[in-house]
Amino acid sequence: ENRPIPEPGPNEVLLRMHSVGICGSDVHYWQHGRIGDFVVKDPMVLGHEASGTVVKVGSGVTHLKPGDRVAIEPGVPREVDEFCKTGRYNLSPTIFFCATPPDDGNLCRYYKHSASYCYKLPDNVTFEEGALIEPLSVGIHACKRAGVTLGSKVFVSGSGPIGLVNVIVAKMMGAAAVVVTDLSASRLQKAKEVGADFTIQVKNETPKEVASKVETVLGCMPEITVECTGVQACIQTGIYATRSGGTLVLVGLGPEMVTVPIVNAAVREVDIRGIFRYCNTWPVAIALLASKRINVKPLVTHRFPLEKALEAFETTKRGEGVKVMLKCDPTDQSP
């Protein structure tokens, strides 16, 4: 709050922030000070799921003007390298990413960002929906990597925010049936609300037993599994559950080393794919939201003003609700 309002560079815009969602990674940095090799060494602003209003534009910016409402893509490559040239800029080692050390995030009143990674929101898309494009993008990227298409049978492991966006996107991309597993009955109920066809509450079953339940409710083994927890037992379940010749996409991040039945996957030609965030997803997400082909509004369960950020983080830490949203602009009462 005591920082000076930044001045945008030639290709940047200054934004008055509006809505910022809290992600599990934000909570993890707050609690543990690191995620893998990314270590918080200095004070860092959190927040990377965000939308706001353009206040000032740099001299080289032509596609935005003051007053425009925008959604922010938080990952910006610092140079055009081989990954950018092939359209996979999310893999660039030079990438700036909001709230990943040492880069500050955008949970603040004013924030400047590369204009090329700010996307104008149509009038019928709210600021909250704009902020939700970031987690939604994980679902779009994961389902594309998985090859979800017309008639796919899909197993989504985990019914947190990322599991839920994968349900939404898989159904949008033509999945005939989606089954979701989780420990929490309330989260599975939310999965049903956003389009899951079947849910399985996991208790003390072994990975093979859970895989068998998935096959039973679907009537067959799924061609595609999207693993959103990062838990070792769930990754094992994902391998056992996926049909031979199918695809397992690993979205959730857990410990660096996990024990998995890799030979089972190998001899059945189950492709195991990773994802790292997303790329080229904001235009797709905006088009889907503007056309009302998807609805992400049910994901937001709690709202707090910026002054109550600590309370918002505590709520997320306790696992209450689904997506907690912070409102950074007290003067703007629009949705």
Side-chain angles (χ1 to χ4, degrees):
E1 287 302 303
N2 298 321
R3 297 180 181 216
I5 296 175
E7 191 67 27
N11 298 310
E12 295 177 325
V13 293
L14 175 65
L15 302 162
R16 173 87 171 172
M17 300 305 297
H18 188 284
S19 296
V20 181
I22 298 178
C23 173
S25 67
D26 292 318
V27 175
H28 200 87
Y29 280 127
W30 169 50
Q31 288 292 298
H32 304 285
R34 69 181 298 155
I35 295 177
D37 294 334
F38 296 105
V39 181
V40 179
K41 296 178 180 176
D42 297 298
M44 182 181 77
V45 178
L46 292 169
H48 59 268
E49 305 176 1
S51 62
T53 304
V54 176
V55 175
K56 189 182 292 188
V57 301
S59 57
V61 178
T62 57
H63 71 289
L64 294 171
K65 65 184 185 305
D68 283 347
R69 301 160 61 253
V70 300
I72 300 166
E73 181 172 0
V76 181
R78 289 183 171 91
E79 56 187 69
V80 179
D81 57 17
E82 59 184 304
F83 297 105
C84 296
K85 290 175 183 176
T86 57
R88 302 182 74 177
Y89 57 87
N90 57 315
L91 302 179
S92 171
T94 72
I95 204 159
F96 163 94
F97 197 87
C98 294
T100 295
D103 303 329
D104 280 329
N106 44 35
L107 182 53
C108 48
R109 302 270 187 225
Y110 291 93
Y111 172 74
K112 69 173 181 177
H113 198 69
S114 168
S116 296
Y117 292 80
C118 292
Y119 300 82
K120 190 172 178 180
L121 292 173
D123 291 341
N124 68 338
V125 177
T126 68
F127 280 114
E128 278 193 359
E129 289 175 301
L132 288 167
I133 290 173
E134 197 278 342
L136 180 62
S137 287
V138 177
I140 294 171
H141 191 53
C143 287
K144 280 185 173 180
R145 292 272 290 158
V148 178
T149 189
L150 291 172
S152 296
K153 304 287 180 65
V154 180
F155 166 31
V156 175
S157 174
S159 190
I162 296 303
L164 295 175
V165 294
N166 274 283
V167 172
I168 292 169
V169 175
K171 294 296 287 187
M172 175 65 221
M173 290 175 72
V178 178
V179 58
V180 184
T181 55
D182 202 277
L183 297 169
S184 164
S186 62
R187 292 211 160 185
L188 290 172
Q189 180 56 41
K190 183 62 76 169
K192 292 284 276 189
E193 285 178 36
V194 301
D197 299 283
F198 307 102
T199 60
I200 299 170
Q201 186 173 6
V202 178
K203 292 177 179 163
N204 299 312
E205 298 91 342
T206 66
K208 283 186 175 179
E209 288 170 342
V210 177
S212 178
K213 286 190 172 186
V214 168
E215 181 178 5
T216 298
V217 299
L218 281 178
C220 62
M221 296 173 78
E223 304 106 317
I224 290 163
T225 298
V226 185
E227 207 301 296
C228 301
T229 72
V231 175
Q232 177 174 283
C234 297
I235 299 171
Q236 293 171 353
T237 299
I239 290 175
Y240 291 132
T242 307
R243 184 185 305 179
S244 297
T247 303
L248 166 63
V249 175
L250 302 177
V251 182
L253 299 177
E256 182 179 3
M257 292 291 180
V258 294
T259 301
V260 295
I262 199 71
V263 174
N264 179 290
V267 299
R268 296 193 303 109
E269 296 191 6
V270 172
D271 292 344
I272 300 175
R273 296 187 160 197
I275 71 158
F276 187 60
R277 297 170 180 155
Y278 33 67
C279 59
N280 305 303
T281 53
W282 258 253
V284 174
I286 289 171
L288 290 173
L289 290 167
S291 65
K292 304 304 176 187
R293 297 297 302 278
I294 61 171
N295 180 18
V296 294
K297 291 178 181 178
L299 298 180
V300 181
T301 54
H302 294 73
R303 296 170 177 86
F304 294 89
L306 184 59
E307 294 79 8
K308 294 187 178 179
L310 184 58
E311 188 179 336
F313 271 78
E314 293 282 6
T315 301
T316 306
K317 180 187 167 189
R318 289 192 298 269
E320 296 177 17
V322 180
K323 179 58 64 177
V324 176
M325 194 70 66
L326 279 154
K327 303 294 189 177
C328 299
D329 187 351
T331 65
D332 193 330
Q333 301 304 312
S334 56

